[in-house]
Amino acid sequence: GFDDCKFAICTYHPVTMEDGGIEKDIDEFLKAIRLFPNIDFIITKSNADQGGARINQLLDEAGKEITNLHVFSSLGVRRYLSLMKYAEFVLGNSSSGIIETPAFGVPTVNIGNRQRGRLQSESIINCASDMQSICAAIEKAMTTEFKEMSHKVISPYGDGHAAVQIAQKIADTVNDSNIDLKKKFYDE
């Protein structure tokens, strides 16, 4: 239902291992969004972790005030991934920005520490949770050079064909080996 526009997909989850700060983090996140009125921000609501309901409440309230902010409970997998393919970037702290987004060649702005320790491709820009850091990361993600680089990254999570490769390896092993697949019974 959107007109042709530049848009970003966003998801912001609570950071369960850090003390408080949800209101401050979301305030900084929303301040950054306000500074990019030429981009529509499509936000999917937070998960059910402690603090998620508060984040969703803050996003719903902001969605009534910020004209380029569109808040959805869920988009479903097909819509979410279809939008991801055409997004300018993915913004937030969700694992989808780390795992799925690089496979689409789309930049990710990963906010804060929630995804610390995960394998990451070069198309991911990590930033702090303050407005200035988020804005600087968005500006970098929007550059032609960074977008072109993002289209060429190789995801550390594979190319989406793991199931085919696993099935082929199993078939090759069974066909090329002298594996006896008959049940064996043992008397004690």
Side-chain angles (χ1 to χ4, degrees), residues 9-16 25-26 29 46-47 55 90-98 108-116 118 127 129:
I9 298 178
C10 313
T11 306
Y12 204 104
H13 296 300
V15 183
T16 56
D25 288 349
I26 295 300
F29 175 71
S46 183
N47 64 21
I55 289 173
V90 171
L91 173 68
N93 64 0
S94 174
S95 61
S96 68
I98 306 298
T108 295
V109 174
N110 180 53
I111 302 170
N113 296 321
R114 189 169 186 272
Q115 300 303 326
R116 179 177 281 161
R118 286 191 189 259
C127 68
S129 57

Side-chain angles (χ1 to χ4, degrees), residues 99-137:
I99 298 171
E100 287 89 7
T101 307
F104 288 93
V106 173
T108 295
V109 174
N110 180 53
I111 302 170
N113 296 321
R114 189 169 186 272
Q115 300 303 326
R116 179 177 281 161
R118 286 191 189 259
L119 291 174
Q120 295 187 3
S121 76
E122 296 83 28
S123 62
I124 298 166
I125 303 165
N126 292 294
C127 68
S129 57
D130 62 280
M131 179 197 62
Q132 293 86 359
S133 296
I134 296 169
C135 288

Side-chain angles (χ1 to χ4, degrees), residues 136-148:
I138 289 172
E139 288 170 1
K140 180 177 179 179
M142 294 289 293
T143 65
T144 302
E145 297 80 22
F146 199 83
K147 286 182 178 186
E148 287 174 0

